[in-house]
Amino acid sequence: MAAYTLPEGFTDFDMFGFGTALLVEGLLGFFLNSIAALSFLLIKEQRTPSNFIVFNLNIADLMLNVNGLIQAYASYIRVWPYGQEGCINHGFQGLISIYAAISFLAVISWDKYHYWATKQPLFWATSGTICTTVWVVAIFWASLPLPYFGWGEFDFEPMRVGCTLDYTKGDRNYITYMLTITFVYLLVPLFVMHDSYNTIYKYFKKTHNYKFNTTIPVKCLLLTWGPYVVMCIYACVENAKLVSPKLRMMLPVIAKTSPIFHAILYSFTNEAYRGGIWQLLTGQRVADKRK
């Protein structure tokens, strides 16, 4: 076996442990989101404008699952095998999936708001335009740290088995990009989600008919991505290397559990979506109402 040098602050057991966590969450998320995506593609009744948004969320989460599985493989062999160019591509692909997924969370909340509060249907032209725009904008913002543009920079995470935005430099280049991204891809989606679900809650309270827990989507976003964003913001004012390498590695591993929760919240417990999943798995139709 070829010799390798363990990253500073990590033991063989750490590499195996983090690799196993990435493997389990990657496989589980990939399995759940694959079933959800296939139900949209194969079940005719599933293909509605609203479900198309959920389908795109499934695709974004599948991309993040693949990103994590690549890290899991590198963790087990104790070295990143794809070179510096592979590192950049890994970070770029990861950011696209993250930005797109968080955007689709906001879009879904907006769609639910219109369905419950304004009773306005979503048309295919609107759904298709919104989803295309989300992907284009996500690719744009994720491409800015590429060497061609240089606003931000991709580099290895502490365990050196995957790449992301380099937060260890803490220079003006990183700070301006990070603060902008935090506003665009955390604060704005949180505002849309909070406002939408709060309005839906008021409607449920008025009608005394609570269809779902309106607080869970926002809590889920904050619990999965909040700690990682806090560390990235911390890196804007202090040296991120002062934080334990294991903690810095743990936070993105936690964040990459988000596809599992998304699949459960927006597909498997969504009345408009779960009927198609049940039909895909069993061949039996379920008379489920929308959302």
Side-chain angles (χ1 to χ4, degrees):
M1 181 180 291
Y4 58 84
T5 302
L6 289 172
E8 183 179 354
F10 294 91
T11 64
D12 266 316
F13 180 78
D14 296 330
M15 301 291 284
F16 177 81
F18 278 111
T20 301
L22 288 164
L23 179 65
V24 171
E25 67 186 23
L27 289 177
L28 181 56
F30 191 89
F31 174 72
L32 294 176
N33 282 284
S34 293
I35 292 176
L38 284 173
S39 72
F40 178 86
L41 295 173
L42 299 179
I43 306 300
K44 183 179 180 180
E45 295 81 3
Q46 191 85 321
R47 296 195 287 271
T48 67
S50 292
N51 284 349
F52 183 61
I53 301 173
V54 180
F55 168 74
N56 276 270
L57 174 62
N58 296 146
I59 298 302
D61 282 334
L62 283 170
M63 290 174 58
L64 188 59
N65 291 141
V66 171
N67 188 275
L69 290 172
I70 292 173
Q71 283 187 276
Y73 168 72
S75 299
Y76 283 131
I77 65 174
R78 308 295 194 268
V79 66
W80 177 256
Y82 306 110
Q84 185 63 33
E85 185 175 349
C87 168
I88 293 173
N89 291 334
H90 184 257
F92 177 53
Q93 185 262 358
L95 283 191
I96 292 175
S97 60
I98 294 166
Y99 294 165
I102 294 177
S103 298
F104 285 124
L105 298 183
V107 175
I108 290 172
S109 70
W110 170 84
D111 176 42
K112 287 180 178 291
Y113 157 76
H114 279 290
Y115 178 77
W116 290 109
T118 68
K119 304 299 182 181
Q120 294 180 2
L122 182 66
F123 298 101
W124 272 109
T126 304
S127 178
T129 301
I130 290 175
C131 291
T132 301
T133 301
V134 166
W135 284 112
V136 170
V137 174
I139 292 172
F140 167 76
W141 284 105
S143 67
L144 294 180
L146 292 173
Y148 312 104
F149 302 105
W151 192 19
E153 182 179 343
F154 292 116
D155 202 358
F156 289 102
E157 292 182 336
M159 214 161 66
R160 302 192 67 81
V161 293
C163 296
T164 187
L165 187 68
D166 183 10
Y167 51 77
T168 61
K169 292 184 177 179
D171 55 9
R172 181 180 298 178
N173 195 24
Y174 166 77
I175 293 173
T176 54
Y177 180 80
M178 188 63 224
L179 293 180
T180 304
I181 286 300
T182 300
F183 175 78
V184 174
Y185 281 108
L186 183 66
L187 297 183
V188 171
L190 275 176
F191 172 78
V192 173
M193 293 173 68
H194 178 270
D195 190 60
S196 298
Y197 287 119
N198 188 51
T199 304
I200 294 171
Y201 172 76
K202 291 178 181 178
Y203 173 80
F204 287 167
K205 187 176 181 180
K206 181 180 179 180
T207 59
H208 303 287
N209 186 13
Y210 296 89
K211 290 290 186 177
F212 59 89
N213 190 327
T214 56
T215 65
I216 291 180
V218 172
K219 290 178 180 177
C220 180
L221 175 59
L222 289 175
L223 288 174
T224 52
W225 284 105
Y228 185 71
V229 172
V230 168
M231 184 191 65
C232 290
I233 297 298
Y234 174 81
C236 293
V237 296
E238 293 289 345
N239 183 1
K241 292 183 178 180
L242 297 176
V243 180
S244 164
K246 292 180 183 179
L247 177 59
R248 285 189 282 132
M249 193 66 217
M250 188 182 301
L251 298 181
V253 171
I254 293 173
K256 287 181 179 179
T257 63
S258 59
I260 300 173
F261 296 108
H262 294 167
I264 295 172
L265 282 175
Y266 300 101
S267 297
F268 285 83
T269 61
N270 181 351
E271 290 185 5
Y273 217 91
R274 67 189 182 199
I277 294 174
W278 178 258
Q279 186 176 343
L280 174 71
L281 296 176
T282 67
Q284 299 176 353
R285 294 190 177 185
V286 177
D288 250 335
K289 297 180 180 180
R290 187 190 186 280
K291 291 187 177 66

